[in-house]
Amino acid sequence: MTTSNMPAHVGIIMDGNGRWAQHRNMARTQGHIEGLKAAKRIVKAASDMGISYLTFYTFSTENWKRTKEEVGFIMGLVKKYLMAEFDFYNENKIRIRFTGNLEGLPPDIAQEVMQVCDKTACFTGLSVILALNYGGRDEIVRAVRKITQKGIALSEITEDTLRQHLDNPDVPDPDLIIRTASELRSSNFLLWESAYSEFYFSDKLWPDWDEEDLKNAIISYKNRKRRFGGITA
Ligand code: FPP
């Protein structure tokens, strides 16, 4: 694949872990284990392709509605594997970043996330952004609170003020957002940042995703004309 017109930032709504497991008469949690393996495959592929930012919608502010067992299992996976993959980050110069409501996470998970972000902050390759306890509306509310706390005058608030108070103001908006498993909605993912993102929907369940699927999504992206509300010359 040529490196021209590559998306700098790809966001992924990983969907279908539960269905993948149910189709095999397995517990839903097994689907999350396979989902984690798929995430690692896609991180490696994105890193090799020269993508700069990859955001994974790992756990939404609404996912707390799931059973205690499932929530505990997903948090447990994060805790068990996030730091354990340090050698993989080091080999590929992958930086881990975070978006979401850190204060609402169990303290041990929040600490694990902060530690891995700290330890990989020096890596200059692909940035993998974990959206954990993340909601687009919540991110906007938190930004408004930060602005209010600073006492910024109403007349001075612009779109740029809001952007500067989002979780990662230095990260460019996602060029491409992928959602797997045949669901056609954005589910509160990167609401502000996705204003002009291109969307790619796939019927494949997340645990079945591999490098070839990412390539197909990027080929589709490369063939689109982005006008950002303007007109093509
Ligand atoms: C959706 O499947 C997936 C999630 C709720 C996210 C959990 C993702 C993982 C555990 C993969 C780990 C990835 C990282 C980067 C740590 P679903 O349960 O909604 O599937 P369903 O719609 O078929 O029920």
Side-chain angles (χ1 to χ4, degrees), residues 13-22 28-29 31-40 43 56-60 63 66 70 73-75 77-78 81-82 128-132 179-181 183 185 205-207:
I13 305 173
M14 307 172 283
D15 208 348
N17 291 354
R19 276 165 279 172
W20 185 94
Q22 275 158 1
R28 288 178 58 81
T29 47
H32 295 315
I33 292 177
E34 294 303 316
L36 183 67
K37 291 183 193 162
K40 188 171 177 184
V43 167
F56 281 122
Y57 204 6
T58 308
F59 194 88
S60 77
N63 283 155
R66 296 188 177 207
E70 187 168 342
F73 189 85
I74 295 174
M75 292 297 160
L77 274 187
V78 171
Y81 292 105
L82 198 56
V128 173
I129 304 161
L130 277 188
L132 199 58
R179 184 166 189 155
T180 62
E183 305 293 354
R185 54 181 173 267
L205 305 177
W206 176 248

Side-chain angles (χ1 to χ4, degrees), residues 160-232:
D160 196 52
T161 319
L162 208 123
R163 145 170 300 282
Q164 290 309 323
H165 291 83
L166 293 174
D167 289 345
N168 294 297
D170 61 307
V171 173
D173 287 344
D175 302 292
L176 172 65
I177 292 183
I178 295 168
R179 184 166 189 155
T180 62
S182 313
E183 305 293 354
L184 309 179
R185 54 181 173 267
S186 73
S187 300
N188 206 10
F189 184 52
L190 302 178
L191 284 188
W192 177 279
E193 299 89 335
S194 65
Y196 284 98
S197 301
E198 296 293 326
F199 279 78
Y200 180 87
F201 296 104
S202 157
D203 289 335
K204 256 197 182 180
L205 305 177
W206 176 248
D208 291 326
W209 259 59
D210 61 19
E211 181 177 6
E212 211 45 39
D213 297 296
L214 182 64
K215 280 192 177 149
N216 288 337
I218 289 171
I219 289 167
S220 164
Y221 168 83
K222 286 183 173 209
N223 284 326
R224 303 191 193 178
K225 287 201 167 50
R226 302 182 76 190
R227 292 188 291 275
F228 299 96
I231 47 172
T232 358

Side-chain angles (χ1 to χ4, degrees), residues 45-212:
S47 165
D48 292 347
M49 283 179 207
I51 291 169
S52 301
Y53 303 91
L54 188 61
T55 300
F56 281 122
Y57 204 6
T58 308
F59 194 88
S60 77
T61 45
E62 287 71 38
N63 283 155
W64 299 104
K65 293 178 200 156
R66 296 188 177 207
T67 64
K68 219 173 125 193
E69 288 70 33
E70 187 168 342
V71 169
F73 189 85
I74 295 174
M75 292 297 160
L77 274 187
V78 171
K79 185 157 181 197
K80 189 165 173 197
Y81 292 105
L82 198 56
M83 204 49 162
E85 290 290 349
F86 184 80
D87 288 348
F88 171 70
Y89 310 141
N90 189 19
E91 268 163 39
N92 296 281
K93 300 298 162 228
I94 289 165
R95 178 177 176 189
I96 306 293
R97 298 182 65 164
F98 172 79
T99 181
N101 194 332
L102 198 64
E103 285 168 15
L105 280 173
D108 58 328
I109 305 292
Q111 202 186 351
E112 187 79 8
V113 169
M114 285 303 94
Q115 203 184 5
V116 80
C117 289
D118 252 26
K119 287 231 159 106
T120 59
C122 54
F123 296 151
T124 54
L126 169 70
S127 281
V128 173
I129 304 161
L130 277 188
L132 199 58
N133 193 23
Y134 177 86
R137 290 179 176 179
D138 179 67
E139 186 187 18
I140 294 169
V141 170
R142 287 186 289 104
V144 171
R145 287 195 181 141
K146 288 180 218 165
I147 294 168
T148 313
Q149 270 161 6
K150 284 187 187 167
I152 298 175
L154 269 184
S155 57
E156 282 174 27
I157 297 175
T158 62
E159 285 191 8
D160 196 52
T161 319
L162 208 123
R163 145 170 300 282
Q164 290 309 323
H165 291 83
L166 293 174
D167 289 345
N168 294 297
D170 61 307
V171 173
D173 287 344
D175 302 292
L176 172 65
I177 292 183
I178 295 168
R179 184 166 189 155
T180 62
S182 313
E183 305 293 354
L184 309 179
R185 54 181 173 267
S186 73
S187 300
N188 206 10
F189 184 52
L190 302 178
L191 284 188
W192 177 279
E193 299 89 335
S194 65
Y196 284 98
S197 301
E198 296 293 326
F199 279 78
Y200 180 87
F201 296 104
S202 157
D203 289 335
K204 256 197 182 180
L205 305 177
W206 176 248
D208 291 326
W209 259 59
D210 61 19
E211 181 177 6
E212 211 45 39

